[in-house]
Amino acid sequence: MKPHPAWSSSKNPVKFRIPTAENLIPIRLDVDIDGQRFRDTFTWNPSDPDSDVILFAKRTVKDLKLPPAFVTQIAQSIQSQLTEFRSFEGQDMYTGEKIVPIKLDLRVNHTLIKDQFLWDLNNFDSDPEEFARIFCEDLGIQDPEVGPAIAFAIREQLCEIAIQSVASARETRINKKGRRGTEHLPLSKPGGTALDTMKLFGNKSSVIRKRREWDLYEPIVDLLSNEEVDALEARES
């Protein structure tokens, strides 16, 4: 697959966005009012009008029969995350031909998922939702809530990496003022240094598993008993 035209060179910056086919922001809600807690995760299109935020909050509160006070808190939480994301729009970022590790460590209802793989940041046709669908299909996961949770986890990590790459581009501009021809700094992220896709793998696939790591990073899917779920939820509360 050919790289997206805007991402044709690792030495040239592009404008900030999520490195996927759809530029969707991961939104995480955790609202607690008078001992009643509401948690949720979903994606949001940053191009949608802000008026949709309050409408979404009102509809959520009505559908879930939450106290009216949750409307303001939900809307404010969504709006603050949108504002933070939009603050990076228009700024330069670097990805180039880089791959980064994505880690899954999730519990969705009774299903526990652990996995690790490499994601190509230079592929703007990548689709976390499609990857999650195939992942669940291949591993026989039947809970319909698992796929969206996997896609969200991927998007959340890619969003953080994209934000970090803005800082990398900013440091590059500062360095170039003092030294001509400075290469951009390696992308900073948890778990190691970004790798050069072409040198190591010579392909453009979005998700990569190195053969020597197949046994080490084989996906783990466990079904928990009711007792195990109750114990986990008690520790998380």
Side-chain angles (χ1 to χ4, degrees), residues 130-142:
E130 178 65 10
F131 170 82
R133 184 191 67 78
I134 295 174
F135 182 97
C136 292
E137 183 179 282
D138 289 349
L139 296 177
I141 298 174
Q142 298 181 353

Side-chain angles (χ1 to χ4, degrees), residues 2 6 32 63 82 88 90 97 100 109 120 134 154 166-167 176 186 189 192 197 199 203-204 219 223 229 232 237:
K2 294 182 179 179
D32 192 327
D63 291 346
L82 287 173
F88 295 99
E97 292 170 353
V100 295
N109 299 324
D120 182 2
I134 295 174
I154 295 172
V166 171
K176 283 185 176 180
K189 63 180 187 332
T197 309
K199 287 183 179 178
N203 61 55
K204 287 290 182 181
L223 289 179
V229 170
L232 285 173
S237 61

Side-chain angles (χ1 to χ4, degrees), residues 103-131:
K103 295 182 180 181
L104 300 179
D105 190 354
L106 308 171
R107 181 184 67 82
V108 183
N109 299 324
H110 286 70
T111 307
L112 189 69
I113 308 105
K114 293 185 179 183
D115 196 12
Q116 177 169 309
F117 43 84
L118 300 176
W119 195 277
D120 182 2
L121 294 182
N122 198 40
N123 183 2
F124 258 44
D125 293 325
S126 65
D127 187 340
E129 285 72 26
E130 178 65 10
F131 170 82

Side-chain angles (χ1 to χ4, degrees), residues 41-229:
T41 58
F42 48 88
T43 58
W44 196 277
N45 189 333
S47 299
D48 288 347
D50 288 347
S51 58
D52 286 356
V53 173
I54 189 67
L55 294 176
F56 174 85
K58 289 180 178 179
R59 185 171 64 249
T60 299
V61 168
K62 180 180 179 180
D63 291 346
L64 299 179
K65 296 180 172 57
L66 296 170
F70 274 85
V71 172
T72 300
Q73 295 299 317
I74 290 173
Q76 287 180 348
S77 180
I78 295 173
Q79 193 64 61
S80 66
Q81 293 175 68
L82 287 173
T83 299
E84 180 183 9
F85 181 88
R86 288 168 177 165
S87 70
F88 295 99
E89 291 182 332
Q91 298 189 48
D92 290 341
M93 59 183 280
Y94 281 111
T95 60
E97 292 170 353
K98 300 293 183 179
I99 59 175
V100 295
I102 298 294
K103 295 182 180 181
L104 300 179
D105 190 354
L106 308 171
R107 181 184 67 82
V108 183
N109 299 324
H110 286 70
T111 307
L112 189 69
I113 308 105
K114 293 185 179 183
D115 196 12
Q116 177 169 309
F117 43 84
L118 300 176
W119 195 277
D120 182 2
L121 294 182
N122 198 40
N123 183 2
F124 258 44
D125 293 325
S126 65
D127 187 340
E129 285 72 26
E130 178 65 10
F131 170 82
R133 184 191 67 78
I134 295 174
F135 182 97
C136 292
E137 183 179 282
D138 289 349
L139 296 177
I141 298 174
Q142 298 181 353
D143 188 335
E145 295 183 24
V146 173
I150 291 174
F152 182 88
I154 295 172
R155 284 193 176 276
E156 198 168 43
Q157 292 174 68
L158 292 177
C159 183
E160 179 61 29
I161 291 168
I163 290 173
Q164 291 171 358
S165 71
V166 171
S168 175
R170 187 180 298 121
E171 291 182 43
T172 298
R173 290 195 301 271
I174 294 173
N175 289 342
K176 283 185 176 180
K177 290 181 180 179
R179 185 176 62 186
R180 184 177 180 182
T182 301
E183 294 291 337
H184 74 270
L185 300 178
L187 183 63
S188 172
K189 63 180 187 332
T193 303
L195 303 175
D196 188 298
T197 309
M198 296 306 291
K199 287 183 179 178
L200 290 180
F201 301 98
N203 61 55
K204 287 290 182 181
S205 60
S206 296
V207 181
I208 303 168
R209 296 181 192 272
K210 290 187 282 188
R211 182 178 296 274
R212 65 177 179 273
E213 295 176 346
W214 281 356
D215 292 336
L216 181 61
Y217 295 127
E218 182 178 359
I220 297 175
V221 177
D222 287 331
L223 289 179
L224 305 178
S225 65
N226 291 332
E227 292 76 14
E228 290 172 321
V229 170

